[in-house]
Amino acid sequence: VFNATTAELLSHHQVELKQEFPKEGWVEQDPKEILNSVYECVEKTCEKMKELNIDITNIRAIGVTNQRETTVVWDKTTGDPLYNAIVWLDLRTQSTVENLLKRIPGKNKTFSKFKTGLPLSTYFSAVKLRWLLDNVEEIKKAVEDGRAMFGTIDSWLIWSLTGGKNGGIHCTDVTNASRTMLFNIHSLEWDPELCKFFEIPMEILPNVRSSSEIYGVMVCFPIFESGALTGVPISGCLGDQHAALVGQMCFQDGQAKNTYGTGCFLLCNTGQKSVFSEHGLLTTIAYKMGKDKPAFYALEGSVAIAGAVVRWLRDNLGIANSSLEVEKLAAEVGTSYGCYFVPAFSGLYAPYWEPSARGIICGLTQFTNKNHIAFAALEAVCFQTREILDAMNKDCGIPLSQLQVDGGMTTNKILMQLQSDILCIPVVKPSMAETTALGAAMAAGAAEGVEVWSLNPRDLTAVTWERFEPQINPEESEYRYGRWKKAVMKSMGWEASESSNGKPK
């Protein structure tokens, strides 16, 4: 919860969601658990507000932000999901992508680039939805019976929070729609030709709205003992990376931010014109702040694994009990001692789009220990960012003079310093890292009919920043980056395993 005049964070609550890995390369989440976590966060945040003597009737609007491409299909008559949500970095659709490529002249992965801004990849929602329609009987049947609804997580949440099976609103916003591969980013409508190509029935798709308008109001749920937020309009909706761009106030052409979450996402505002990349970046809708307002576009570099590599060191290798401990291990050595880590657990995204890549750790010697591996993991996040920043500088023609950053990993000071060293430019971080939530709140508060938040940067109180300046010489930075690129080449061409073609049990 934010103060609409100062953008100050007043209260918050968070819950870590479980990820399920039923087979190698598969990543799922329970849509019911996601919804319940939202209920819990609303309830707990409102309790904290009361303890702070803030009247919750002052909450004027609700914004929704979500991990994008994650795909869910549910039954509109029962209100229940028909299968787990398939998470954005899931790889099971590799065989679906290969089958679709066979139908494209010259197997051109970028066949829809000028309509959607996206290459054909396991990453986007259309191929996940195609897999569900091909492999889950219950979903096939629900589509035939006219009971199925598709959405990314924002659609599932808005539908559920505005009444669900009793009149819930089935909608999404332009930013989330632009990540499905079914949406024309110029006409701002679902594209009939693409829906036909993927054989996806258009009647299951949500209505596409702007990122800032009243979609519906919060309905009272028995789960809310307090009846908190009943009747409050839901009036902001942005995919997480777009919300962070808004929260960082990158409203000018050429302004960019990098978010360090599960993955890493660098977005650069290109204004009201869509710029198409020659260097493996995506073209996406940045935001559309109202029904009658123009759409703004962005170039995006996406890295699949950033914070997830720290989680992997913690949960899979057990070399640390917490993210903080990984930072401490890295700090103790201050170098990877020639060890390089390419965390291509879900293939490589920008600028390579190489699904056959797999994670590798190389340059090991008898001297290498867990501290060096922890350092190499953090360095990998920075090298991946450098790759997408290089691509963006080539596409935009104007190199960034500094990088604005946000997201959970930015609390890691070692990482931020490393990032500045590897980019050879300053890294600038707002004192409040939750800019994704802030962007959703800004969109909600600025909506017509709510109008409690000004989006004019001049009206916003000065945000405090922390700056990290490069501390190593550019030659050393270039040397390490060159070695990293060599490691990336070695990670490519590992085959996806047979199980990724498997069907659910």
Side-chain angles (χ1 to χ4, degrees):
V1 179
F2 296 92
N3 178 317
T5 44
T6 64
E8 178 197 355
L9 178 66
L10 299 176
S11 176
H12 74 286
H13 185 78
Q14 64 186 45
V15 177
E16 188 171 341
L17 295 167
K18 281 197 283 292
Q19 300 226 48
E20 293 169 33
F21 307 96
K23 295 186 185 183
E24 188 192 333
W26 292 31
V27 191
E28 296 180 1
Q29 284 176 325
D30 176 354
K32 276 275 177 69
E33 188 201 342
I34 295 173
L35 182 60
N36 289 334
S37 75
V38 171
Y39 291 146
E40 184 185 331
C41 287
V42 169
E43 196 69 15
K44 291 281 198 305
T45 304
C46 289
E47 280 170 22
K48 290 176 186 175
M49 302 266 295
K50 283 177 185 160
E51 285 162 21
L52 294 165
N53 290 325
I54 303 171
D55 186 348
I56 60 168
T57 59
N58 287 328
I59 296 177
R60 295 285 298 277
I62 298 165
V64 173
T65 180
N66 57 295
Q67 288 192 343
R68 300 168 299 174
E69 305 76 12
T70 300
T71 298
V72 63
V73 179
W74 66 95
D75 186 322
K76 64 180 169 196
T77 54
T78 63
D80 290 328
L82 292 163
Y83 192 80
N84 267 348
I86 299 184
V87 177
W88 58 277
L89 46 67
D90 182 282
L91 275 181
R92 76 187 66 188
T93 51
Q94 189 46 46
S95 54
T96 310
V97 168
E98 281 155 19
N99 291 336
L100 289 165
L101 271 175
K102 286 174 194 159
R103 297 171 36 202
I104 302 166
K107 291 192 174 182
N108 177 12
K109 272 185 190 173
T110 58
F111 79 109
S112 74
K113 176 175 164 178
F114 294 106
K115 268 187 181 178
T116 64
L118 313 172
L120 183 58
S121 157
T122 56
Y123 183 19
F124 307 109
S125 312
V127 285
K128 295 173 167 51
L129 181 51
R130 183 65 260 152
W131 186 92
L132 288 166
L133 292 166
D134 288 339
N135 292 282
V136 183
E137 272 309 316
E138 220 177 322
I139 287 181
K140 229 181 291 186
K141 179 98 178 65
V143 169
E144 283 161 18
D145 298 348
R147 291 180 286 116
M149 283 184 159
F150 152 80
T152 40
I153 297 299
D154 56 308
S155 300
W156 162 243
L157 292 178
I158 292 172
W159 184 80
S160 302
L161 297 172
T162 55
K165 61 184 180 183
N166 303 313
I169 307 292
H170 189 211
C171 69
T172 187
D173 89 301
V174 289
T175 66
N176 280 296
S178 77
R179 311 297 293 193
T180 58
M181 272 205 102
L182 300 171
F183 189 69
N184 185 315
I185 60 174
H186 311 292
S187 67
L188 306 185
E189 287 171 342
W190 296 121
D191 189 284
E193 281 178 20
L194 287 168
C195 290
K196 198 172 166 190
F197 173 76
F198 287 104
E199 295 174 37
I200 285 167
M202 292 182 79
E203 57 276 10
I204 72 172
L205 304 176
N207 291 322
V208 184
R209 316 270 286 268
S210 76
S211 313
S212 177
E213 62 178 89
I214 295 174
Y215 313 110
V217 299
M218 188 84 139
V219 167
C220 182
F221 292 92
I223 197 162
F224 285 160
E225 293 142 31
S226 59
L229 307 192
T230 301
V232 176
I234 298 177
S235 54
C237 178
L238 289 151
D240 51 3
Q241 305 314 324
H242 314 257
L245 193 75
V246 170
Q248 288 262 31
M249 290 179 282
C250 295
F251 295 128
Q252 302 297 314
D253 194 341
Q255 284 184 304
K257 66 88 213 168
N258 196 29
T259 299
Y260 298 76
T262 308
C264 219
F265 301 89
L266 180 61
L267 267 74
C268 180
N269 189 333
T270 62
Q272 292 178 44
K273 60 182 187 300
S274 48
V275 174
F276 291 94
S277 172
E278 297 298 316
H279 303 95
L281 303 180
L282 308 176
T283 305
T284 196
I285 295 177
Y287 50 80
K288 183 180 190 295
M289 286 303 190
K291 277 183 213 176
D292 308 318
K293 298 275 174 31
F296 280 69
Y297 294 86
L299 272 175
E300 172 175 336
S302 326
V303 168
I305 303 290
V309 73
V310 175
R311 203 186 225 195
W312 183 81
L313 290 176
R314 183 191 76 189
D315 298 348
N316 294 34
L317 287 198
I319 71 168
N321 295 320
S322 66
S323 306
L324 190 64
E325 213 174 302
V326 173
E327 184 180 351
K328 278 190 186 135
L329 288 172
E332 280 166 21
V333 285
T335 172
S336 70
Y337 201 75
C339 162
Y340 288 85
F341 190 159
V342 182
F345 302 151
S346 300
L348 287 165
Y349 284 12
Y352 302 101
W353 300 104
E354 188 43 76
S356 71
R358 285 295 174 274
I360 61 165
I361 302 175
C362 56
L364 303 176
T365 67
Q366 281 176 310
F367 183 73
T368 312
N369 60 31
K370 63 182 182 179
N371 299 65
H372 300 121
I373 290 171
F375 192 94
L378 297 183
E379 214 174 25
V381 175
C382 301
F383 285 134
Q384 291 181 104
T385 300
R386 164 82 191 259
E387 288 193 301
I388 51 181
L389 191 70
D390 282 359
M392 203 159 272
N393 286 339
K394 284 176 196 157
D395 280 325
C396 296
I398 307 158
L400 281 186
S401 55
Q402 62 174 38
L403 182 65
Q404 286 176 227
V405 300
D406 59 72
M409 286 188 91
T410 59
T411 55
N412 184 329
K413 286 189 160 47
I414 303 271
L415 180 75
M416 293 296 95
Q417 185 55 54
L418 253 180
Q419 186 66 85
S420 177
D421 290 346
I422 287 164
L423 296 179
C424 305
I425 57 172
V427 165
V428 181
K429 161 188 177 292
S431 51
M432 200 279 300
E434 298 299 333
T435 47
T436 301
L438 176 62
M442 288 165 70
E448 192 181 334
V450 179
E451 292 153 51
V452 293
W453 202 303
S454 162
L455 295 180
N456 185 336
R458 284 194 297 277
D459 296 336
L460 291 155
T461 331
V463 183
T464 51
W465 304 84
E466 190 175 354
R467 275 176 82 85
F468 296 86
E469 301 278 349
Q471 289 178 356
I472 64 172
N473 66 41
E475 290 74 34
E476 189 192 333
S477 176
E478 285 307 313
Y479 173 75
R480 278 156 57 182
Y481 183 48
R483 294 283 289 262
W484 151 264
K485 299 271 269 190
K486 197 171 162 185
V488 170
M489 290 303 135
K490 295 198 183 305
S491 76
M492 292 189 193
W494 296 85
E495 282 311 304
S497 69
E498 289 305 305
S499 67
S500 63
N501 302 338
K503 296 195 172 188
K505 293 188 178 75

